[in-house]
C-alpha cells in the first residue's frame, strides 16, 4: 500500500528541468513566507497578551480601591466580619447594589469577582481564606461587546487588607474574561499576511516560470539541434548570439557545438565526395577495361571461326590483339600508379639533381612519335644547371605526359616547345604547342580522372584521361603547381612550377615526414649521446634525420614508365 503511494508520489515529481526549477523556486518562496508569517503572528500575540495583562492590572488596582471604599462605606462603622467569621450581610448587599455593578462595565471592562474574609498568610502563595461561606460577590459585565471585541479567557487577582488590627480581613478582587480586541487584531494580521503570501506566491510562480524558461530555452535549442544533427540534418545550428544574451556559458557551449557541427558537416561532405569519386572512378575503370576486352573477345572468336584459316586475316587480328593487350597493360600501369600516388604509398626520392636532365630525357622519349606525326619538338634549356630537390623519374613522367599530349593534339607541321628556367623560389617548366587547344568550359575538368575533351577528335581515342591526373598528383607531392592557358585553335601552354625544396612546403608528404623524423631521430640520438657530449649530439641528430628523410634509396620508390598512349 505504502509503495503504491510512493510510486504515485514519484510520478508527480516534475521531470523537466524547467518544471523542477519552477517548483524549487516556488517552494523556497513558500517556505520563507510560512516561516516569516508564523514568526510575526507569534510575536504579535505575545505583545498583545503582555499589553492586555498590564492594562488589566491597572484596572484591578482601581477596582480594588473602589471595592474597599464600598466595603468600608457599607459597613457603617460595624465590623465587616462578625464573630463567627461570616461577612456582614449589609456589606454584601452594598457590594451587590446596582450602582456598584456598573464598575464591571465601566472600570473593569470584565467580570468582577469579590471575595471577603479572614486570611492567613502562606509563604510564597496567595493568602488562604479561613472562612468564606457567604463572602463572594459576582459582578458580571452586562454591556454587549463592542464591534471587534471578543471575550478573552484570562484573569487577574489582587488582594487588599482592611479592618482594625484585631478584626483584620482581606478583600480579594478578580477581573475575569475581559472583552479585548486581541483576537480580532491577530485575525486581521493573519488574514493580511495570508493575502500577501498568496500574492507573493502567485508572483513567484510567474517569475520562476519566466526565469526557468529563460534558463532552459537555450538548453532546449541545443537539444533540438543535437537531435536534428543525429537524425542527419547537418545544416542545423544553434543561434549562438541569442544564447549568449541568456548566459555566457551556454553561449560558449553553443559556439563549440556549432564548430563541431561545421567540422562534422565538412567531414561528411568530404567522405561523400570521396565516395562519389571512388564510385565514378570504378565505373570509369570498368568502362575503360570493357572496350579492349570486348575487342579481344571478338578477335578471338573470329580467329576460332572462319578467319583462322586465312593467314592474312589471322596476322591482322593478332596484330590488333597485341595492340589491345598493350593498351590494357598501359591502362593497368597508369591506374596502379594513380592509386599509389593517391594512397600516399609513393615515397618521393628527392635529390638535389639538375632538373635539365629529367626534362631532356623525357623530351627525347617522344622523338620517334613526333617524327611519325610530323610535329617538331623544340627543347630550350638554360646553359647553367638548375639544382632543385626533386624526384627525377617522376618529374620526367610529368614532362613526358605533357609532351605526349602536346604531340597527340597538335596537327602535322605543328611545333611543341619545351622550356625550363630557374625562378626565384625554384624552377618552371613550360610545354607549349600549336595544337587544337582546349575550350574554356573544359579547362576546369582536364585534370580530372578519365576526363577527355571534345575537341581532341580522333586523338581522344588514344588516351584514357589519366595522364593529367597523374601529372597533378606528382606536382602536388612536390609542393608545386600546374596551370594551363589555352584557347580553341591557338594551342596550349602547360606550366609546371616546382619549389627548390619540397620539404619546406607545408603540407607536402616530404615536409610531414621530415618533421616526424626530425623529432623521432633527434630525441633518440639526444638520449643516446646525452652522457658523452649533449650539445653535439643534439645538433648531429637533427641534421642526420633531415638527410635520411630525403635520400631514400631508389629501390624503395616504385617507378613506372612515363605514361604515354600506345
Ligand atoms: P589522355 O590520356 O586522354 O590524354 P589527359 O588527362 O592527358 O588524358 O588529358 C585530358 C584531356 O585534356 C584530353 O582528352 C584533351 O581533351 C585535353 N588536353 C590535354 N592536353 C592537351 C593539349 N596539349 N592540347 C589540347 N587538349 C589537351
Amino acid at each position: 500500500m505504502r509503495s503504491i503511494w510512493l510510486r504515485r508520489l514519484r510520478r508527480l515529481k516534475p521531470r523537466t528541468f524547467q518544471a523542477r526549477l519552477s517548483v524549487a523556486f516556488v517552494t523556497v518562496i513558500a517556505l520563507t513566507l510560512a516561516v516569516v508569517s508564523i514568526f510575526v503572528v507569534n510575536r504579535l500575540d505575545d505583545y498583545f497578551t503582555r499589553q492586555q495583562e498590564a492594562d488589566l492590572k491597572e484596572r484591578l488596582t482601581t477596582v480594588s480601591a473602589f471595592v474597599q471604599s464600598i466595603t468600608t462605606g457599607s459597613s457603617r462603622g460595624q465590623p465587616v466580619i462578625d464573630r463567627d467569621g461570616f461577612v456582614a450581610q449589609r456589606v454584601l448587599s452594598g457590594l451587590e447594589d446596582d450602582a456598584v455593578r456598573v464598575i464591571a462595565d465601566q472600570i473593569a471592562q470584565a467580570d468582577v469577582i469579590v471575595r471577603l474574609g479572614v486570611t492567613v498568610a502562606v509563604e510564597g502563595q496567595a493568602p488562604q481564606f479561613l472562612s468564606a461561606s457567604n463572602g463572594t460577590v459576582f459582578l458580571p459585565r452586562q454591556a454587549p461587546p463592542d464591534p471587534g471585541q471578543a471575550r478573552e479567557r484570562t484573569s487577574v487577582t489582587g488582594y487588599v487588607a482592611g479592618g482594625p488590627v484585631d478584626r483584620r480581613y482581606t478583600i480579594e478582587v478578580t477581573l475575569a474574561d475581559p472583552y479585548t480586541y486581541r483576537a480580532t487584531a491577530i485575525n486581521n494580521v493573519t488574514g493580511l499576511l495570508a493575502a500577501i503570501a498568496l500574492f507573493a506566491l502567485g508572483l513567484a510562480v510567474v517569475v520562476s516560470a519566466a526565469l526557468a524558461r529563460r534558463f532552459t530555452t537555450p538548453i532546449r535549442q541545443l537539444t533540438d539541434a543535437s537531435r536534428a544533427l543525429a537524425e542527419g540534418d547537418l545544416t542545423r545550428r544553434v543561434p549562438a548570439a541569442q544564447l549568449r544574451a541568456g548566459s555566457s556559458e551556454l553561449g560558449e557551449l553553443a559556439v563549440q557545438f556549432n564548430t563541431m557541427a561545421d567540422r562534422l558537416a565538412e567531414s561528411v561532405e568530404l567522405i561523400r565526395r570521396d565516395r562519389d569519386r571512388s564510385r565514378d572512378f570504378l565505373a570509369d575503370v570498368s568502362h575503360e577495361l570493357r572496350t579492349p576486352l570486348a575487342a579481344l573477345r571478338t578477335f578471338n572468336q573470329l580467329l576460332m571461326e572462319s578467319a583462322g584459316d586465312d593467314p592474312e586475316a589471322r596476322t591482322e587480328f593478332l596484330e590488333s590483339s597485341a595492340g589491345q593487350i598493350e593498351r590494357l597493360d598501359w591502362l593497368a600501369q597508369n591506374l596502379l600508379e594513380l592509386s599509389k600516388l593517391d594512397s600516399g604509398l609513393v615515397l618521393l626520392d628527392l635529390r638535389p639533381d639538375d632538373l635539365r636532365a629529367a626534362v631532356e630525357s623525357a623530351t627525347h622519349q617522344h622523338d620517334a612519335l613526333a617524327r611519325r606525326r610530323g610535329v617538331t619538338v623544340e627543347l630550350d634549356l638554360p646553359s647553367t644547371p638548375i639544382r632543385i630537390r626533386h624526384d627525377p623519374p617522376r618529374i620526367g613522367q610529368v614532362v613526358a605526359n605533357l609532351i605526349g599530349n602536346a604531340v597527340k593534339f597538335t596537327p602535322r607541321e605543328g611545333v611543341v616547345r619545351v622550356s625550363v628556367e630557374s625562378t626565384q623560389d625554384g624552377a618552371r617548366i613550360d610545354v607549349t604547342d600549336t595544337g587544337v587547344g582546349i575550350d574554356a568550359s573544359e579547362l576546369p575538368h582536364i585534370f580530372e580522372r578519365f576526363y577527355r575533351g571534345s575537341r581532341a577528335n580522333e586523338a581522344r581515342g588514344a588516351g584514357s584521361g589519366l595522364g593529367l591526373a597523374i601529372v597533378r598528383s606528382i606536382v602536388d607531392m612536390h609542393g608545386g603547381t600546374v596551370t594551363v592557358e589555352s584557347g580553341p585553335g591557338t594551342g596550349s601552354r602547360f606550366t609546371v612550377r616546382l619549389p627548390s625544396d619540397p620539404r619546406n612546403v607545408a603540407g607536402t608528404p616530404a615536409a610531414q615526414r621530415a618533421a616526424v623524423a626530425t623529432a623521432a631521430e633527434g630525441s633518440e640520438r639526444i638520449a643516446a649521446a646525452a652522457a658523452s657530449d649533449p650539445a653535439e649530439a643534439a645538433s648531429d641528430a637533427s641534421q642526420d634525420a633531415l638527410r635520411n628523410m630525403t635520400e631514400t634509396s631508389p629501390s624503395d620508390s616504385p617507378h613506372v614508365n612515363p605514361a604515354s598512349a600506345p
Side-chain angles (χ1 to χ4, degrees), residues 327 330 334 401-410 416 431-439 442 445-457 459-471 484 486-487 491-494 563-565:
R327 180 172 167 76
W330 172 82
N334 276 286
N401 282 10
L402 293 178
I403 298 175
N405 278 347
V407 171
K408 199 160 61 178
F409 297 118
T410 299
V416 173
V431 177
T432 316
D433 65 56
T434 55
V436 293
I438 306 163
D439 277 344
E442 292 179 355
H445 304 291
I446 58 170
F447 290 98
E448 288 170 12
R449 294 161 179 177
F450 294 109
Y451 182 81
R452 277 173 284 180
S454 56
R455 297 185 63 79
N457 301 329
R460 283 173 65 226
S464 67
L466 292 176
L468 288 181
I470 291 173
V471 165
V484 56
S486 185
S492 314
R493 175 201 294 264
F494 284 83
S564 56

Side-chain angles (χ1 to χ4, degrees), residues 28-45:
V28 168
I29 298 283
L31 279 177
T32 311
L33 283 172
V35 169
V36 168
S37 304
I38 290 169
F39 180 76
V40 167
V41 170
N42 235 339
R43 293 306 303 267
L44 217 60
D45 194 33

Side-chain angles (χ1 to χ4, degrees), residues 246-270:
S247 116
S248 61
E249 290 92 343
L250 282 173
E252 197 56 42
L253 183 63
V255 170
Q256 291 304 327
F257 177 87
N258 287 348
T259 313
M260 183 205 74
D262 286 346
R263 296 239 173 90
L264 187 69
E266 268 169 35
S267 307
V268 169
E269 183 54 34
L270 216 74

Side-chain angles (χ1 to χ4, degrees), residues 355 357-363 365-366 390-403 429 474 559 562-563:
L355 183 66
V359 175
E360 192 171 10
S361 140
T363 310
Q365 281 176 27
H366 290 88
H390 66 287
D391 182 330
R394 299 225 174 264
I395 292 299
Q397 189 178 350
V398 166
V399 178
N401 282 10
L402 293 178
I403 298 175
I429 306 166
I474 295 174
H559 173 68

Side-chain angles (χ1 to χ4, degrees), residues 14-280:
R15 300 236 169 268
T16 61
F17 184 49
Q18 184 176 352
R20 283 183 188 181
L21 261 180
S22 304
V23 168
F25 189 77
V26 171
T27 309
V28 168
I29 298 283
L31 279 177
T32 311
L33 283 172
V35 169
V36 168
S37 304
I38 290 169
F39 180 76
V40 167
V41 170
N42 235 339
R43 293 306 303 267
L44 217 60
D45 194 33
D46 275 1
Y47 172 77
F48 279 139
T49 308
R50 261 184 276 123
Q51 277 287 106
Q52 179 185 291
E53 266 175 20
D55 190 38
L56 217 55
K57 272 180 189 160
E58 221 166 87
R59 278 185 269 152
L60 178 69
T61 314
T62 316
V63 171
S64 295
F66 185 74
V67 169
Q68 192 179 28
S69 72
I70 295 292
T71 307
T72 314
S74 54
S75 68
R76 290 187 219 118
Q78 297 295 314
V80 172
I81 309 285
D82 64 18
R83 291 194 181 283
D84 301 325
F86 286 102
V87 181
Q89 191 53 48
R90 61 182 169 280
V91 173
L92 293 176
S93 304
L95 285 174
E96 280 171 349
D97 192 87
D98 282 347
V100 177
R101 280 183 181 277
V102 293
I103 59 165
D105 286 329
Q106 290 181 359
I107 304 173
Q109 290 172 26
D111 294 344
V112 179
I113 303 144
V114 180
R115 199 171 166 200
L116 285 163
V118 181
T119 56
V120 286
V122 181
E123 183 70 29
Q125 284 183 23
Q128 299 285 308
F129 281 89
L130 291 179
S131 60
S133 54
N134 64 344
T136 301
V137 177
F138 181 57
L139 308 170
R141 212 192 143 162
Q142 281 164 347
D146 291 344
Q149 276 191 331
R151 203 176 263 284
E152 199 71 50
R153 294 282 158 219
T154 182
S155 65
V156 282
T157 303
Y159 298 89
V160 278
V165 180
D166 56 338
R167 294 275 175 104
R168 276 265 180 239
Y169 62 92
T170 303
I171 306 172
E172 181 196 78
V173 179
T174 300
L175 304 193
D177 302 343
Y179 284 127
T180 69
Y181 291 99
R182 194 186 70 91
T184 314
I186 293 286
N187 282 348
N188 283 348
V189 170
T190 312
L192 192 70
L193 276 175
I196 291 173
L198 264 180
F199 176 73
L201 262 184
L203 203 68
V205 169
V206 174
V207 170
S208 68
L211 276 180
R213 201 179 155 75
R214 197 182 164 93
F215 281 140
T216 52
T217 303
I219 298 175
R220 195 167 302 133
Q221 282 181 342
L222 269 167
T223 314
D224 287 349
S226 322
R227 191 177 301 126
L229 213 66
E231 283 167 3
D233 180 6
L234 298 180
T235 56
R236 187 67 176 270
R237 296 290 177 276
V238 187
Q242 231 178 56
L243 294 197
R244 199 172 278 132
S247 116
S248 61
E249 290 92 343
L250 282 173
E252 197 56 42
L253 183 63
V255 170
Q256 291 304 327
F257 177 87
N258 287 348
T259 313
M260 183 205 74
D262 286 346
R263 296 239 173 90
L264 187 69
E266 268 169 35
S267 307
V268 169
E269 183 54 34
L270 216 74
I271 293 169
R272 193 174 293 154
R273 244 185 284 143
D274 227 42
R275 187 199 58 194
D276 291 349
R277 251 206 339 241
S278 303
R279 203 173 38 204
D280 293 350

Side-chain angles (χ1 to χ4, degrees), residues 476-551:
D476 280 352
M477 286 177 79
H478 277 82
T481 57
V482 52
T483 51
V484 56
E485 293 162 49
S486 185
T490 59
S492 314
R493 175 201 294 264
F494 284 83
T495 304
V496 175
R497 288 185 179 80
L498 295 172
S500 54
D501 191 343
R503 295 171 309 180
N504 298 335
V505 181
T508 60
Q512 286 163 1
R513 275 162 45 223
V516 173
T518 308
E521 279 277 312
S523 56
E524 237 171 66
R525 291 288 296 275
I526 290 164
S532 53
D533 188 349
E536 206 183 311
S539 78
D540 279 2
S542 52
Q543 280 176 13
D544 282 3
L546 274 179
R547 220 174 295 130
N548 281 349
M549 280 327 298
T550 51
E551 282 156 26

